[in-house]
Amino acid sequence: MHKLTIILTFAAIAVLADPGLIQLRETVIDPSEASIQNVAEPVCVPTVSGKSQYLIQPAKNFTLEETKRIKNLGIIMIGCVPPNAYHILASPKELEALKENFQLLYAGEFLPEYKTTASSKTAIANAGEHFSALVLLSSSEEFEEVVTALINGGSSKIKGVCGEPPILETRITKELADSLIKMSAVVNVEEKSENFIFNDVAKTTNLMN
């Protein structure tokens, strides 16, 4: 059976009946209903540099030249969410500059509930006091910030993997997992199962940047 799976920031994107929808692993956003959200007060704690994660949908896909212009604004492109949305890291000022330079159909914060799956939540709930976890960062610039949060939260055996954005393998508590997904420096927190193909995920994430 032919299987088409595109992974971005650990989001499995199915071929959509309506290409205008933004479909994450377990959340579907309809820009025609949600429109541009008020992102002045993000839910997640901004990074040390004042950036937050957002999902945006432009009127048309960005060209390579437009992507370069966006990066020149100081915005970090975490990746694309096919067919026509993007996951970015930006400050409020940078997001406003993006809106001024490009027509956006949707702009909204990348919320904590997008950062883990129901199956992973169940695995975490059934885990012991500490469990093995994989933590995907929004960019290498947040490496020290997240490691500090892990250490302060009592994490043990922190192991980093090269890549952009980087991934940390560690042992954490359920309470720390809840705190991590509320940080803009963190894209994803998953319970590390035995069949998790760590290298494949790292490579796929790299290809999307």
Side-chain angles (χ1 to χ4, degrees), residues 88-194:
I88 66 171
L89 188 69
S91 68
K93 184 177 180 180
E94 291 163 350
L95 183 62
E96 285 304 315
L98 182 65
K99 293 178 184 178
E100 291 174 2
N101 285 274
F102 298 93
Q103 182 184 356
L104 299 184
L105 303 179
Y106 176 84
E109 185 180 1
F110 196 82
L111 298 171
E113 52 263 38
Y114 303 161
K115 298 183 181 183
T116 190
T117 62
S119 60
S120 190
K121 288 176 183 176
T122 300
I124 291 172
N126 294 331
E129 183 177 352
H130 287 77
F131 64 93
S132 296
L134 296 176
V135 182
L136 176 66
L137 280 59
S138 53
S139 81
S140 57
E141 294 179 10
E142 280 64 57
F143 189 88
E144 184 176 347
E145 180 181 346
V146 176
V147 169
T148 299
L150 288 171
I151 293 172
N152 291 341
S155 178
S156 61
K157 300 180 180 178
I158 303 171
K159 181 169 65 175
V161 174
C162 294
E164 181 56 39
I167 303 171
L168 297 176
E169 181 179 352
T170 185
R171 288 186 63 77
I172 59 177
T173 62
K174 300 170 188 177
E175 292 76 14
L176 182 53
D178 288 338
S179 296
L180 289 172
I181 63 173
K182 295 173 184 174
M183 295 175 61
S184 293
V186 172
V187 168
N188 189 272
V189 177
E190 296 288 346
E191 184 266 343
K192 183 177 182 260
S193 59
E194 292 182 1

